Amino acid sequence: MAKMNLLQAINSALISAMTQDERVMVFGEDVGHFGGVFRATSNLQEKFGKARCFNTPLTEQGIMGFANGLASQGSVAIAEIQFADYIFPAFDQIVNETAKWRYRSGGQFSVGTLTIRTPYGGGIAGGHYHSQSPEAYFAHTPGMKIVVPRNPYQAKGLLLASIRDDNPVLFMEPKRLYRASVGEVPEDDYELPLGKAEIVKSGSDITLLAWGAQMEIMEKAAEMAEAKGVSCEVIDLRSILPWDVETVATSVMKTGRLLISHEAPLTGGFASEIAATIQKHCFLYLESPIERVCGLDTPYPLAHEKEYMPDHLKVFEGIMRSVNF
Amino acid sequence: MAKMNLLQAINSALISAMTQDERVMVFGEDVGHFGGVFRATSNLQEKFGKARCFNTPLTEQGIMGFANGLASQGSVAIAEIQFADYIFPAFDQIVNETAKWRYRSGGQFSVGTLTIRTPYGGGIAGGHYHSQSPEAYFAHTPGMKIVVPRNPYQAKGLLLASIRDDNPVLFMEPKRLYRASVGEVPEDDYELPLGKAEIVKSGSDITLLAWGAQMEIMEKAAEMAEAKGVSCEVIDLRSILPWDVETVATSVMKTGRLLISHEAPLTGGFASEIAATIQKHCFLYLESPIERVCGLDTPYPLAHEKEYMPDHLKVFEGIMRSVNF
Amino acid sequence: MQHRNHLGDINTVHQVKLIDKGVVDIPMLQIMQPDGSIHSDATMPEISQELAVKMYRTMQFIRVLDERMVAAQRQGRISFYLASTGEEAASVGSAAALSDKDMIMSQYREQGALAFRGYTTEQFMNQMFSNEKEPNKGRQMPIHYGAKELNFMTISSPLGTQIPQASGYAYGQKMAGEEAVTICYFGEGAASEGDFHAGLNMAAVLNCPAIFFCRNNGYAISTPAEEQFAGDGIASRGLGYGIKTIRVDGNDIFAVFEATRKAREIALAENCPVLIEAMSYRLAAHSTSDDPTGYRSKDEEARWHAKDPIQRLGNWLAAKGWIDPAEDEKYLAAKRAEVLDELKRVEKVPVCSIEHIIEDVYDTPPWHLQEQLQELKDHIRKYPDAYPKTASRVKE
Amino acid sequence: MQHRNHLGDINTVHQVKLIDKGVVDIPMLQIMQPDGSIHSDATMPEISQELAVKMYRTMQFIRVLDERMVAAQRQGRISFYLASTGEEAASVGSAAALSDKDMIMSQYREQGALAFRGYTTEQFMNQMFSNEKEPNKGRQMPIHYGAKELNFMTISSPLGTQIPQASGYAYGQKMAGEEAVTICYFGEGAASEGDFHAGLNMAAVLNCPAIFFCRNNGYAISTPAEEQFAGDGIASRGLGYGIKTIRVDGNDIFAVFEATRKAREIALAENCPVLIEAMSYRLAAHSTSDDPTGYRSKDEEARWHAKDPIQRLGNWLAAKGWIDPAEDEKYLAAKRAEVLDELKRVEKVPVCSIEHIIEDVYDTPPWHLQEQLQELKDHIRKYPDAYPKTASRVKE
Ligand SMILES: Cc1ncc(C[n+]2csc(CCOP(=O)(O)OP(=O)(O)O)c2C)c(N)n1
Ligand SMILES: Cc1ncc(C[n+]2csc(CCOP(=O)(O)OP(=O)(O)O)c2C)c(N)n1
Ligand SMILES: [Mg+2]
Ligand SMILES: [Mg+2]
């Protein structure tokens, strides 16, 4: 075990994957010699050569097109999109191509060996073009898997599993935690399961559900609520697609209440899918409406970032609204 | 009044708009002399000249980039995307640019004079690249309006309102109905309100909610249910964003039940947002879980199109599940 | 000349020098004249009788297939078709210059390349009837072929997407040490997509052994080339990417063959992309959904009919004595019969059973898709008449 | 030469002719030599003393602003900054050749153009402190300026998006009968985006009076130009689009001025786009988030320091007697003081009140945003300490 921050954990996972399988290649804007603008790919070019870790020209649609082709050939493609806000030029390549490749060919061809890494989320004074959380845009796309880690340990294990999973995975990294989140991480290779939520803390009065950087907020809010005598069950969804309905539904049947939180705007955010599914599965168990504590239905603001964020206070208020319904 | 099919109604709206305001321009792939692959823009080039109705090169991202620039200059830009399935290369221009233009400039600049027209939906043996219903991808984007008409009368009135509304509007045309849906349409200029749902049929036992081509299906299912003694209130949402929560919530508080249907895949579809919102607004009124009768979580199939579609039989089953809960 | 991909010193001029498209002349390679004779100063590529006849017969077969399937679509037997009439030499000639190991990523009008690789009449039919015998499992509209064993990537409708994909595929081939290239076909219309720019630029920078083969057939549906671009065709763009480029007469199968052969040689030897622009004309309607009489003249069509690539090769073969023109009609008649027979046979083959509706979305169907399938099957069992294609085969 | 945007006959060759980037020579316009003297065979554009001095002072001001704001960022007073050091001549020289009616759509390193148009020190500060006095209402990161009254479109971070937008804007100007063009600035990195391709091609086909001004400064963050493209810079792409193109020494403000003046003249007279590639070098780090020592040599930087565009114009002006070099230090000192004063003053200006959080998403805030605002205000009132920037001003 070693103490690592989230960036180091990502870097360690990439080194593991590249060491173990020489078909693994890492590419994107500035990921080569420079090691990426956040330095997640530091030293990869030095270790594995310029052919396996390289800069691409500045074109996200090109990166994803290239990645699709490379993965369909059988190579293991790990493409970086520098900020999740800049993934949209690649939307067609991801939604129409990546996600439908295996399906349209009847399984003859696939891009299952593709992983897309991208930093997402706010809290870094980045405004509307360096703070977005676009998971819901992709979650409406059958064929994709979407994974979001909450800390370094999760990051390494989930990234290795994503790279090796035989489906294309969009791996979203909470950039606010890149250096802020530090923890023990095994130096060895290990994987954590995709498609499985994790109960981070058991409780009996309400289920709190989130993913990625938002997990910190949930835990903080849960502490506040516990101080008021509300017992919270805190769940990290980890995989947005396919998502673990069973773990969530089982928890809600126990607690009778659910609060979901994400930074992305409320309308059409992934919390809506969860709420829609859980109100059906747990109709007779729900003691209050499912709460969504999310970003406002505006672009992500700069000067008003603090006000916009679904912070622990807003989550706490949501918890109290729910238990006092 | 004249009998028109949905294409003719669209064409009539475009003629009205172009006649009334010479800043209105229509462009896209094949929309010029040819009149568009569906002929929605027939005769516009002849009537208004090549400078105001023109073919563009084959690039959706270019069309939308050009349209954004043109609208920001003050012209009234009506851009056609030949099929909604091909709107994704323009996703960045729409989601990052169109939708955020006014916001990021503090209202100094805007593309409020932009309307994007695109045919969407299945039922035409088009498979996964000529059948998609991508409304939910855009509905997660503050700054956009999204409008879907269900018949020729609605199409003309809503399109004229969309063109003149001072916000960018994504206007999605149910292509299955282009020729199939025929009705009386005023030859004069008229507008129908954006952001307002319409109660198409009153009822007391369950609210059925949909939009566009799916409205036909709802009415057919409602008939089947009425035959079984279930009184259905049928609502056409018409605007997906912003959507008319009040009309829907009021209806559900009366009926106690809600079924929403769309062709797009279930997960992350717009029905999820509606369900999440209504379970909150109407928690104490709901007598059964909100039902979603939607496409499967797969790409849109070709050989199994019939099986995939949320047809009247599936909606009818959903109604009975809801009332027998 | 100056490379501006470094920051060294650079020649200067002291008066404005406008660079305009006139500055480069990009002529077109032609080996065989429209009448089938070989230009006296041309070097004929080495082509055996067997190969030349195979090229010819493949073109003829495609012509027959196109005619029959357009008719079948009119009769309502298939939902859609798209002919390559007039452009057969471009796809057949280029495919003939490749190795079977080379990956083909095509647009949709390259049935000639597929037939040359060995796709059978039955396979064509299975695909067009979206039936259960088709390896793509009936998931795609007619003409969206794909055949793993033939190294023919399944076709995707969104235009241009295959272009950067081909760069990536070729990069993978190079990394795997394969003696193979990727050929990527696209129309001059698709070349307007951003993916074209990304794909060619990346291939050049990342040294991908790919052949970008543009069929410039003058139209993108109704949009004529002059409303598609203002430069000197697509070939002139190669310069901007630093990609070696060849323009070729797309109706001269020998020129196409030779350009592709040469391109492949360069791509492999130098690990770099090559761009080919084949000048041709879409004699057919864009597809069965289209009617070109509204946007172009009979005259223009007639001028290109006169350049028919099949006729041209036929004349050469006949002059050479490698075919007996009398055999032609026999061959065509046999192929017509074969197509009709297969059509009749194949249209009775059922579509895939309903279980396949959730397959291949992921490597294995996740629980939620299994649940959705279960619900669907229950539903079909309840209303079997409404789902005639699948109901009789719905199992528990 | 052959236009392949029609289907007429075309010259042929009978041997493969490879077109490679070597076939065109694209030299670079230079009027003033690095030492500030004018090439003897160059034609100096007509530039009055007033204009020349304004150009010079604007460059100096920007240099001062950049230095001070980088320092302010290091002190934690602003969150981000991005300097244009070394490239001032490109943006100032081009802006100087425009009319105030021309729309400027920039990338983010064109503060020189904005300052030339009249944006004040206070306005720069307001933007960088995202305060309530800023017309963009503090919604964008520092350096994302926008000023309607100066015809300077608000900057957007996603790269390349402004390129097809400029085509559309210019088309609108033409349709409105304005005697104005749109200038669109972008880096050689952004030119790899698909939007570049779409924008230039559309401008050429649709006859848009736009000037596409590429600042080729050798780097896109850490990525050197040779990993960005393999052709002869960005200029060589103009050919492929059929766009008249001028390459210019970006550190020679007279050459930049003349190229832009000429481009504007052509754009208006012929209703067409013109592409300019300005060769320069990003002497600064990419931004305050970047450290270039990891990816390039001090040597390389030193070579370009020697070509400093401000020094170059200064030498010319001094030789001409249009400035007194002794004034220079005074001017710089005054500007430094002005920047610091404004900085101190402006950093105390509050951000917009919370009401603005929902504004400008739509023309008027719809009911759901009003509801969200109401909830937010209630929440802030409950926890005022947590939201210090807005709490004291939250009204009912
Ligand atoms: C992204 C995208 N946009 C639009 C279409 C609709 N479409 C299908 S074919 C076609 C024209 C293509 O022309 P070209 O590339 O020249 O090929 P050709 O048909 O001439 O062989 C268009 C616009 C599409 N399939 N994909
Ligand atoms: C679509 C998009 N992708 C990535 C980025 C991140 N990014 C910001 S600046 C930059 C480099 C731009 O280089 P260039 O266009 O050459 O301009 P320069 O900085 O050299 O002036 C990158 C990659 C972005 N802003 N937008
Ligand atoms: Mg074509
Ligand atoms: Mg640069």
Side-chain angles (χ1 to χ4, degrees):
Chain A
M1 291 284 227
K3 266 225 172 332
M4 292 187 195
N5 66 27
L6 207 148
L7 276 173
Q8 291 163 327
I10 298 283
N11 191 253
S12 166
L14 293 173
I15 290 174
S16 242
M18 293 181 88
T19 306
Q20 183 246 341
D21 182 351
E22 64 169 26
R23 292 173 318 154
V24 177
M25 290 169 227
V26 171
F27 49 94
E29 293 158 15
D30 301 298
V31 305
H33 176 59
F34 189 53
V37 294
F38 292 102
R39 308 301 164 89
T41 58
S42 284
N43 299 317
L44 299 184
Q45 189 172 85
E46 284 66 19
K47 270 198 204 326
F48 302 102
K50 217 173 157 168
R52 290 183 58 203
C53 173
F54 50 94
N55 287 341
T56 61
L58 209 171
T59 166
E60 292 75 14
Q61 69 189 114
I63 293 170
M64 285 313 310
F66 185 93
N68 279 330
L70 184 61
S72 75
Q73 181 272 339
S75 296
V76 183
I78 306 180
E80 175 177 310
I81 298 293
Q82 202 164 76
F83 284 85
D85 310 70
Y86 304 138
I87 202 168
F88 301 127
F91 205 74
D92 186 55
Q93 279 287 351
I94 298 173
V95 161
N96 263 343
E97 297 291 317
T98 304
K100 298 179 173 59
W101 203 288
R102 190 193 307 261
Y103 178 84
R104 73 183 177 213
S105 73
Q108 293 189 84
F109 298 99
S110 103
V111 294
T113 51
L114 168 64
T115 305
I116 312 166
R117 292 181 41 246
T118 192
Y120 83 95
I124 60 150
H128 50 292
Y129 291 131
H130 293 85
S131 306
Q132 294 177 60
S133 298
E135 66 274 10
Y137 285 119
F138 296 95
H140 187 41
T141 312
M144 294 300 298
K145 293 195 175 183
I146 306 172
V147 175
V148 194
R150 73 174 179 279
N151 65 26
Y153 174 78
Q154 294 285 324
K156 179 169 175 179
L158 288 172
L159 180 53
L160 279 167
S162 298
I163 293 169
R164 290 159 186 163
D165 186 87
D166 193 16
N167 293 286
V169 179
L170 173 62
F171 188 83
M172 297 176 58
E173 302 170 3
K175 63 174 170 296
R176 179 161 67 78
L177 303 185
Y178 264 163
R179 293 193 171 82
S181 177
V182 178
E184 292 292 332
V185 177
E187 278 161 289
D188 289 349
D189 199 297
Y190 66 97
E191 294 178 25
L192 294 172
L194 305 190
K196 283 262 158 265
E198 189 186 21
I199 300 175
V200 172
K201 185 190 153 314
S202 296
S204 54
D205 296 333
I206 185 167
T207 303
L208 306 184
L209 178 63
W211 49 87
Q214 200 60 10
M215 288 309 297
E216 262 192 347
I217 309 285
M218 303 309 266
E219 295 183 75
K220 213 161 154 191
E223 266 175 44
M224 286 180 73
E226 304 261 344
K228 301 267 180 198
V230 181
S231 163
C232 301
E233 179 138 312
V234 181
I235 302 183
D236 177 3
L237 192 59
R238 298 201 290 192
S239 281
I240 307 288
L241 199 70
W243 66 286
D244 188 352
V245 177
E246 195 185 333
T247 297
V248 178
T250 306
S251 171
V252 174
M253 288 191 218
K254 180 177 76 176
T255 63
R257 293 182 179 88
L258 175 62
L259 181 151
I260 315 151
S261 180
H262 55 60
E263 281 180 27
L266 178 82
T267 298
F270 198 66
S272 65
E273 176 58 38
I274 298 170
T277 299
I278 294 301
Q279 66 85 27
K280 176 143 193 214
H281 274 71
C282 306
F283 189 74
L284 297 175
Y285 297 83
L286 280 172
E287 290 173 36
S288 64
I290 299 168
E291 284 285 334
R292 293 183 288 164
V293 179
C294 300
L296 271 63
D297 281 322
T298 71
Y300 195 102
L302 183 80
H304 293 139
E305 172 161 33
K306 222 178 159 34
E307 286 78 4
Y308 172 92
M309 285 283 260
D311 62 10
H312 62 286
L313 298 172
K314 292 187 190 169
V315 173
F316 170 72
E317 287 293 313
I319 296 171
M320 300 317 286
R321 248 194 328 272
S322 183
V323 296
N324 297 330
F325 182 78
Chain B
M1 292 284 227
K3 266 223 172 333
M4 292 187 194
N5 64 28
L6 207 146
L7 276 173
Q8 291 163 328
I10 298 284
N11 191 253
S12 165
L14 293 172
I15 291 174
S16 244
M18 293 182 87
T19 305
Q20 183 247 340
D21 182 352
E22 64 169 25
R23 293 172 318 154
V24 178
M25 291 169 224
V26 170
F27 50 94
E29 293 157 15
D30 301 297
V31 304
H33 175 60
F34 189 53
V37 294
F38 292 102
R39 308 301 163 89
T41 57
S42 283
N43 299 316
L44 299 184
Q45 189 172 86
E46 285 65 20
K47 269 197 204 326
F48 302 101
K50 219 175 156 166
R52 292 183 59 203
C53 173
F54 51 93
N55 288 340
T56 62
L58 210 170
T59 166
E60 293 75 13
Q61 69 189 111
I63 293 170
M64 286 312 310
F66 185 93
N68 279 329
L70 186 60
S72 75
Q73 181 271 339
S75 296
V76 182
I78 306 180
E80 175 176 310
I81 298 293
Q82 203 164 76
F83 284 85
D85 311 71
Y86 304 138
I87 202 168
F88 300 127
F91 204 73
D92 186 55
Q93 281 286 351
I94 298 173
V95 161
N96 264 342
E97 297 291 317
T98 305
K100 298 179 174 59
W101 202 287
R102 190 193 306 261
Y103 179 83
R104 72 181 177 215
S105 73
Q108 292 189 84
F109 298 99
S110 102
V111 294
T113 51
L114 168 65
T115 304
I116 311 166
R117 292 181 42 244
T118 192
Y120 83 95
I124 59 150
H128 50 293
Y129 291 131
H130 294 85
S131 306
Q132 294 177 59
S133 298
E135 65 274 11
Y137 285 119
F138 295 95
H140 187 40
T141 312
M144 295 298 300
K145 292 196 175 182
I146 306 172
V147 175
V148 194
R150 74 174 179 277
N151 65 27
Y153 174 77
Q154 294 284 324
K156 180 169 176 182
L158 288 171
L159 181 52
L160 279 167
S162 298
I163 293 169
R164 290 159 186 165
D165 185 87
D166 193 16
N167 294 285
V169 179
L170 174 62
F171 188 85
M172 297 176 58
E173 302 169 3
K175 64 175 169 292
R176 178 162 67 77
L177 303 186
Y178 265 162
R179 293 196 171 79
S181 176
V182 178
E184 292 292 333
V185 177
E187 278 160 290
D188 289 348
D189 199 298
Y190 65 98
E191 295 178 25
L192 294 172
L194 305 189
K196 284 262 157 264
E198 188 184 23
I199 301 174
V200 172
K201 184 189 154 315
S202 296
S204 54
D205 297 333
I206 184 168
T207 303
L208 306 183
L209 179 63
W211 48 88
Q214 200 60 12
M215 288 308 298
E216 261 193 349
I217 310 284
M218 303 309 265
E219 294 183 76
K220 210 159 157 193
E223 265 174 45
M224 286 179 72
E226 305 261 345
K228 300 267 178 196
V230 182
S231 165
C232 301
E233 179 138 311
V234 181
I235 302 183
D236 177 3
L237 192 58
R238 299 200 291 191
S239 281
I240 307 289
L241 198 70
W243 66 285
D244 187 351
V245 177
E246 195 186 333
T247 297
V248 178
T250 306
S251 171
V252 175
M253 287 190 218
K254 179 177 78 176
T255 63
R257 293 182 178 88
L258 175 62
L259 181 152
I260 316 150
S261 179
H262 55 61
E263 281 180 26
L266 178 80
T267 298
F270 198 67
S272 65
E273 176 58 39
I274 298 170
T277 299
I278 294 300
Q279 66 84 28
K280 177 144 193 215
H281 274 71
C282 307
F283 189 73
L284 298 174
Y285 298 83
L286 280 171
E287 290 174 35
S288 64
I290 299 168
E291 285 284 335
R292 292 183 289 164
V293 179
C294 300
L296 271 65
D297 281 323
T298 70
Y300 196 104
L302 183 80
H304 293 139
E305 172 161 33
K306 222 178 161 32
E307 287 77 3
Y308 172 93
M309 284 283 258
D311 61 12
H312 62 287
L313 297 172
K314 292 187 190 170
V315 173
F316 169 72
E317 288 292 313
I319 296 171
M320 300 316 285
R321 250 192 329 273
S322 184
V323 295
N324 296 330
F325 181 75
Chain C
M1 63 143 305
Q2 303 303 323
H3 288 275
R4 285 315 308 157
N5 49 351
H6 60 76
L7 292 162
D9 283 324
I10 183 167
N11 283 346
T12 61
V13 282
H14 310 134
Q15 300 284 341
V16 172
K17 180 176 169 191
L18 277 176
I19 304 292
D20 202 355
K21 58 183 168 178
V23 305
V24 200
D25 177 39
I26 311 182
M28 141 183 126
L29 174 67
Q30 190 180 73
I31 290 176
M32 176 164 54
Q33 311 202 43
D35 64 5
S37 63
I38 301 298
H39 279 289
S40 56
D41 58 343
T43 315
M44 254 302 281
E46 268 177 54
I47 293 179
S48 67
Q49 174 168 2
E50 189 193 344
L51 178 56
V53 173
K54 181 178 174 191
M55 287 158 87
Y56 184 59
R57 294 295 180 219
T58 304
M59 290 204 286
Q60 287 186 311
F61 165 60
I62 286 300
R63 186 69 61 92
V64 166
L65 181 73
D66 284 354
E67 280 166 10
R68 288 298 122 188
M69 297 320 290
V70 167
Q73 194 278 338
R74 286 219 188 89
Q75 295 162 356
R77 294 163 89 171
I78 55 172
S79 60
F80 179 83
Y81 193 74
L82 184 148
S84 69
T85 313
E87 298 180 66
E88 295 90 345
S91 56
V92 173
S94 51
L98 300 175
S99 149
D100 283 349
K101 291 173 305 184
D102 297 333
M103 172 52 68
I104 296 180
M105 290 177 129
S106 70
Q107 180 156 312
Y108 50 56
R109 211 181 292 281
E110 293 84 2
Q111 46 265 57
L114 184 57
F116 189 89
R117 277 270 165 104
Y119 207 62
T120 65
T121 306
E122 182 187 356
Q123 286 176 307
F124 274 107
M125 290 304 145
N126 284 336
Q127 200 287 326
M128 278 177 286
F129 284 93
S130 335
N131 69 26
E132 65 177 15
K133 289 203 171 161
E134 207 264 306
N136 296 323
K137 299 184 187 163
R139 297 221 176 94
Q140 298 224 94
M141 279 176 68
I143 70 110
H144 291 72
Y145 313 106
K148 175 107 178 167
E149 74 288 359
L150 299 178
N151 284 320
F152 190 96
M153 183 61 75
T154 302
I155 293 169
S156 173
S157 306
L159 287 166
T161 52
Q162 79 279 21
I163 305 176
Q165 289 165 7
S167 308
Y169 202 101
Y171 191 89
Q173 289 172 312
K174 178 177 82 170
M175 290 296 288
E178 288 175 28
E179 181 84 0
V181 305
T182 298
I183 191 166
C184 176
Y185 292 99
F186 53 93
E188 89 292 341
S192 293
E193 291 282 1
D195 274 359
F196 165 89
H197 180 60
L200 268 76
N201 189 40
M202 289 183 79
V205 172
L206 298 170
N207 308 311
C208 306
I211 301 172
F212 295 102
F213 193 103
C214 179
R215 294 182 292 92
N216 183 344
N217 63 5
Y219 288 89
I221 309 186
S222 76
T223 304
E226 64 267 25
E227 295 182 18
Q228 194 66 245
F229 51 79
D232 178 13
I234 305 302
S236 63
R237 296 185 191 162
L239 267 173
Y241 300 115
I243 293 182
K244 293 191 173 65
T245 300
I246 308 171
R247 172 175 280 158
V248 67
D249 178 349
N251 287 13
D252 170 0
I253 198 163
F254 294 144
V256 170
F257 179 90
E258 179 58 11
T260 310
R261 193 196 62 69
K262 182 82 191 163
R264 183 174 194 275
E265 190 179 287
I266 295 170
L268 276 178
E270 303 177 22
N271 266 326
C272 70
V274 179
L275 171 63
I276 296 175
E277 180 181 32
M279 311 310 294
S280 187
Y281 188 84
R282 196 196 76 209
L283 280 174
H286 168 69
S287 73
T288 50
S289 316
D290 176 48
D291 172 12
T293 56
Y295 55 81
R296 66 188 194 188
S297 69
K298 287 274 160 217
D299 251 34
E300 181 182 290
E301 292 181 3
R303 266 194 289 136
W304 283 89
H305 266 295
K307 302 187 194 186
D308 188 323
I310 304 185
Q311 191 59 50
R312 195 185 297 197
L313 178 57
N315 289 349
W316 182 84
L317 284 168
K320 187 104 178 163
W322 282 5
I323 56 158
D324 171 1
E327 292 290 307
D328 265 22
E329 243 336 294
K330 261 195 242 164
Y331 176 80
L332 292 172
K335 279 292 156 186
R336 276 188 206 112
E338 180 182 314
V339 167
L340 277 182
D341 286 354
E342 284 294 348
L343 198 151
K344 274 187 216 142
R345 212 168 56 74
V346 162
E347 69 188 341
K348 294 193 196 88
V349 177
V351 302
C352 282
S353 68
I354 194 63
E355 281 72 18
H356 290 86
I357 198 169
I358 61 160
E359 275 180 18
D360 305 318
V361 180
Y362 293 94
D363 54 348
T364 50
W367 65 268
H368 70 289
L369 284 177
Q370 292 180 25
E371 233 176 69
Q372 291 179 8
L373 174 62
Q374 196 48 57
E375 274 173 34
L376 178 59
K377 284 162 74 174
D378 292 347
H379 180 78
I380 295 174
R381 258 190 301 271
K382 196 155 177 187
Y383 298 98
D385 297 346
Y387 309 96
K389 285 192 189 169
T390 47
S392 66
R393 286 175 296 154
V394 174
K395 304 179 206 81
E396 289 314 302
Chain D
M1 64 142 310
Q2 301 304 321
H3 289 274
R4 284 315 306 157
N5 47 353
H6 60 78
L7 293 161
D9 283 323
I10 183 166
N11 283 347
T12 62
V13 282
H14 311 134
Q15 300 285 340
V16 172
K17 180 175 169 193
L18 277 176
I19 303 292
D20 202 355
K21 58 182 167 179
V23 303
V24 200
D25 178 37
I26 312 183
M28 138 183 127
L29 174 67
Q30 191 179 73
I31 291 176
M32 177 165 54
Q33 311 204 42
D35 65 4
S37 63
I38 301 298
H39 279 289
S40 56
D41 59 343
T43 315
M44 254 302 281
E46 267 176 56
I47 293 180
S48 66
Q49 176 169 359
E50 190 193 341
L51 178 57
V53 173
K54 181 177 174 188
M55 287 159 87
Y56 183 58
R57 295 296 180 216
T58 304
M59 291 203 286
Q60 287 185 311
F61 165 61
I62 285 301
R63 185 69 60 94
V64 165
L65 181 74
D66 284 355
E67 280 166 12
R68 288 298 122 185
M69 297 320 291
V70 167
Q73 194 279 337
R74 286 221 187 89
Q75 295 162 356
R77 294 164 89 173
I78 56 172
S79 59
F80 178 82
Y81 193 73
L82 184 147
S84 70
T85 314
E87 297 180 65
E88 295 90 345
S91 55
V92 174
S94 52
L98 300 176
S99 149
D100 283 349
K101 290 173 304 185
D102 296 334
M103 172 53 68
I104 297 180
M105 291 178 127
S106 70
Q107 181 156 311
Y108 50 55
R109 212 182 290 281
E110 294 84 4
Q111 47 264 56
L114 184 56
F116 188 88
R117 278 270 166 105
Y119 207 61
T120 65
T121 306
E122 183 187 355
Q123 286 177 307
F124 275 107
M125 291 304 143
N126 285 335
Q127 200 287 326
M128 278 180 283
F129 284 94
S130 331
N131 68 27
E132 66 177 13
K133 289 202 170 163
E134 208 263 309
N136 295 322
K137 298 184 187 163
R139 298 222 175 95
Q140 298 224 92
M141 279 177 70
I143 70 112
H144 290 73
Y145 314 105
K148 175 107 177 168
E149 74 287 1
L150 298 179
N151 284 321
F152 190 96
M153 183 61 75
T154 302
I155 293 169
S156 172
S157 305
L159 288 166
T161 52
Q162 80 278 21
I163 305 176
Q165 290 164 7
S167 308
Y169 202 101
Y171 192 88
Q173 290 172 311
K174 178 178 82 169
M175 290 297 287
E178 289 175 27
E179 181 84 0
V181 305
T182 297
I183 191 166
C184 176
Y185 293 100
F186 53 93
E188 88 293 342
S192 293
E193 292 282 2
D195 274 359
F196 166 88
H197 181 60
L200 269 77
N201 189 40
M202 289 181 79
V205 172
L206 298 170
N207 307 311
C208 306
I211 301 173
F212 295 101
F213 193 103
C214 178
R215 292 181 295 94
N216 183 344
N217 62 6
Y219 288 90
I221 308 186
S222 77
T223 304
E226 64 266 24
E227 296 182 18
Q228 194 67 246
F229 51 78
D232 179 14
I234 305 302
S236 63
R237 296 184 192 162
L239 266 174
Y241 300 115
I243 293 183
K244 293 193 175 61
T245 299
I246 308 172
R247 172 175 280 156
V248 67
D249 179 347
N251 288 15
D252 170 0
I253 198 163
F254 294 143
V256 170
F257 179 91
E258 180 57 14
T260 311
R261 194 195 59 72
K262 182 84 192 160
R264 184 173 193 276
E265 190 179 289
I266 295 170
L268 276 179
E270 303 177 23
N271 266 326
C272 70
V274 179
L275 171 63
I276 297 176
E277 181 182 30
M279 311 309 294
S280 187
Y281 189 82
R282 196 197 74 211
L283 280 174
H286 168 69
S287 73
T288 51
S289 316
D290 176 47
D291 172 12
T293 56
Y295 55 81
R296 68 188 193 188
S297 69
K298 287 276 160 214
D299 251 34
E300 181 182 289
E301 291 181 3
R303 265 196 287 138
W304 283 88
H305 265 295
K307 302 188 195 182
D308 188 324
I310 304 187
Q311 190 59 50
R312 194 184 297 197
L313 178 57
N315 289 349
W316 183 85
L317 285 168
K320 188 106 179 161
W322 282 5
I323 55 158
D324 171 1
E327 293 288 308
D328 264 24
E329 244 334 296
K330 262 195 244 167
Y331 176 81
L332 292 172
K335 280 292 158 186
R336 276 187 206 111
E338 179 182 314
V339 167
L340 277 182
D341 287 354
E342 284 294 349
L343 198 152
K344 275 188 215 142
R345 212 169 56 76
V346 162
E347 68 188 342
K348 295 192 196 89
V349 178
V351 302
C352 283
S353 68
I354 195 62
E355 281 72 18
H356 290 86
I357 198 170
I358 61 161
E359 276 181 18
D360 305 317
V361 180
Y362 294 94
D363 54 348
T364 50
W367 64 269
H368 69 290
L369 284 176
Q370 292 180 23
E371 233 176 67
Q372 291 179 8
L373 174 62
Q374 196 49 55
E375 275 172 33
L376 178 58
K377 284 161 76 174
D378 292 346
H379 181 77
I380 295 174
R381 257 191 299 273
K382 197 156 178 187
Y383 297 98
D385 298 346
Y387 310 97
K389 284 192 191 170
T390 46
S392 66
R393 286 175 296 154
V394 173
K395 303 179 208 82
E396 290 315 298

